[in-house]
Amino acid sequence: MANAHPLTGVGHNAYSAVFDQYDSTEGAYGGGRAVHSSWFSVLANLGYPGLLLFLTIIGNSVLACRRARKLAKKNPELQNLGHFAVAVEGAIVAFAVGGTFTTFEFKELLWHMFALSMVIDRLVTERTAALAAAPRTSALAVQPLRARIGVAAATGRAVRI
């Protein structure tokens, strides 16, 4: 199918509808069969450019999660986003393995994982930039004035305001 329609494929989710036209067994195993592989389904339905785009989206999502994990390791404040990146990357890898044996390339949850990988990457990038730009303050400057006065009164030291 992909070789007959290399640029466009047979159309979105149309593999089963046109299967009989390409069946070399002439229906010996039934008609309108499923492809049973997300990779070949995308190739048949969307052609070679569609498969390339699909692989690019998956690769970009995995790279975004890895980038987020690396940045989160450097900043303890971002540890929760690092955990989220691991979870989303694991889900995408699980899809890649499972997608070899079944078709679910058009399932909504997969596309949510792609979107979440981009969101996590964006959040980690923005928060890393904000942490780098934030001025470092001493522990004394962060304490409220009342707390500093209370400590000074208890120790008998003067407080600089």
Side-chain angles (χ1 to χ4, degrees):
M1 288 182 200
N3 288 336
H5 306 280
L7 294 179
T8 61
V10 293
H12 175 71
N13 236 357
Y15 179 90
S16 295
V18 298
F19 174 81
D20 294 339
Q21 297 172 17
Y22 296 91
D23 184 13
S24 61
T25 65
E26 298 175 6
Y29 301 104
R33 296 177 52 93
V35 67
H36 296 293
S37 171
S38 292
W39 314 112
F40 289 117
S41 177
V42 169
L43 180 60
N45 290 325
L46 305 176
Y48 290 103
L51 179 63
L52 180 63
L53 182 61
F54 187 63
L55 293 173
T56 302
I57 291 169
I58 291 172
N60 191 31
S61 296
V62 169
L63 288 176
C65 288
R66 287 193 178 171
R67 190 171 40 246
R69 280 191 300 124
K70 286 181 181 178
L71 289 173
K73 278 185 182 177
K74 294 177 184 176
N75 296 310
E77 298 90 357
L78 305 175
Q79 186 177 14
N80 61 341
L81 290 172
H83 294 309
F84 295 146
V86 169
V88 171
E89 186 178 1
I92 293 170
V93 169
F95 157 76
V97 172
T100 303
F101 306 104
T102 187
T103 55
F104 49 82
E105 69 278 358
F106 298 125
K107 300 296 183 211
E108 188 175 328
L109 184 60
L110 173 64
W111 293 91
H112 284 272
M113 290 299 120
F114 295 153
L116 282 173
S117 70
M118 298 300 116
V119 169
I120 291 169
D121 184 46
R122 180 69 180 249
L123 286 173
V124 168
T125 303
E126 287 177 357
R127 289 184 184 175
T128 302
L131 288 171
R136 299 287 181 208
T137 58
S138 69
L140 184 61
V142 174
Q143 294 176 346
L145 181 59
R146 282 188 187 165
R148 287 192 284 163
I149 292 172
V151 169
T155 61
R157 293 186 304 176
V159 176
R160 184 172 35 147
I161 300 176

